[in-house]
Amino acid sequence: MTECKVGILLSGRGSNMMALVEQAHGYTVAMVASDKPAAAGLAWARGRGIATFALSPKGIGKAAYERALEDALREAGVEIIALAGYMRLLSDAFVGRWRGRIVNIHPSLLPKYKGLDTHARAIAAGDAIAGCSVHIVTEELDGGDVLGQGEVPIEPDDTPDTLAARVLAAEHGLYPRILSAFVAR
Ligand code: GRF
């Protein structure tokens, strides 16, 4: 049986991408792509012999950028897209063409704290529990169906940074597990 081909989009360090590569079960990472040609995660993927694609939308516009990105993903045979610290909003047209086939990891227990600064907001709210969510990507930011969540405690002396580190460790266990289940569904 051929394994489901996953394409990962990232903009930065790529620790979730590394977890998805190292814990791949039932899927293969066929491409790692980025809107930031200097993203650290891209160099790591290249070093592992994974096909990469890098293009900045600056100067060419969103539509041309997304067309080129999509061509590269399709050429690599990608069936499912996993966002892993991809800091750009995909257009509604792109999401529509890949409906139900794009997943994301978000550092909060959705539907709480969509968007940015999730850890600072959870601490400010006095929450006892924080965590991360893997969800389907729709046109609504961080709004699609949740596929799985991981919880961590918030300690009394937590700062946004210490909490982020604890949540990130949970992300690295959650994302590969949920993606494996998702491709097997
Ligand atoms: C993670 O916290 C993830 O939840 C969020 O962006 C961050 C990416 O980190 N979407 P990394 O690049 O995977 O290390």
Side-chain angles (χ1 to χ4, degrees):
M1 200 179 84
T2 60
E3 291 195 323
C4 175
K5 289 188 175 167
V6 170
I8 300 177
L9 305 193
L10 56 76
S11 300
R13 66 189 164 185
S15 70
N16 276 287
M17 176 274 297
M18 294 172 199
L20 289 172
V21 168
E22 285 174 340
Q23 301 172 58
H25 292 292
Y27 65 87
T28 308
V29 177
M31 170 162 279
V32 174
S34 184
D35 58 319
K36 298 255 187 277
L42 272 181
W44 185 91
R46 254 183 238 119
R48 298 284 290 230
I50 299 169
T52 60
F53 174 83
L55 180 66
S56 168
K58 285 197 187 113
I60 61 169
K62 188 166 184 138
Y65 161 76
E66 284 192 343
R67 243 187 332 267
L69 171 64
E70 209 169 342
D71 285 350
L73 292 168
R74 291 198 193 280
E75 194 142 316
V78 166
E79 299 155 279
I80 301 283
I81 297 174
L83 307 185
Y86 183 67
M87 298 308 288
R88 204 164 277 282
L89 281 178
L90 294 167
S91 68
D92 288 358
F94 189 105
V95 171
R97 286 194 294 276
W98 289 81
R99 181 153 324 276
R101 295 188 295 137
I102 311 177
V103 295
N104 180 42
I105 186 149
H106 182 74
S108 78
L109 294 172
L110 290 172
K112 277 188 158 182
Y113 313 127
K114 297 175 178 178
L116 298 174
D117 300 324
T118 56
H119 307 302
R121 288 155 69 198
I123 291 170
D127 292 356
I129 304 284
C132 46
S133 307
V134 176
H135 67 93
I136 299 279
V137 172
T138 64
E139 289 82 351
E140 189 200 336
L141 178 68
D142 302 324
D145 285 353
V146 172
L147 300 172
Q149 293 184 313
E151 293 187 352
V152 301
I154 300 182
E155 306 292 352
D157 57 351
D158 263 333
T159 64
D161 284 349
T162 60
L163 179 57
R166 193 174 310 119
V167 172
L168 191 64
E171 293 180 32
H172 296 161
L174 180 76
Y175 208 177
R177 188 162 60 72
I178 298 301
L179 187 57
S180 293
F182 182 68
V183 301
R185 77 211 183 281

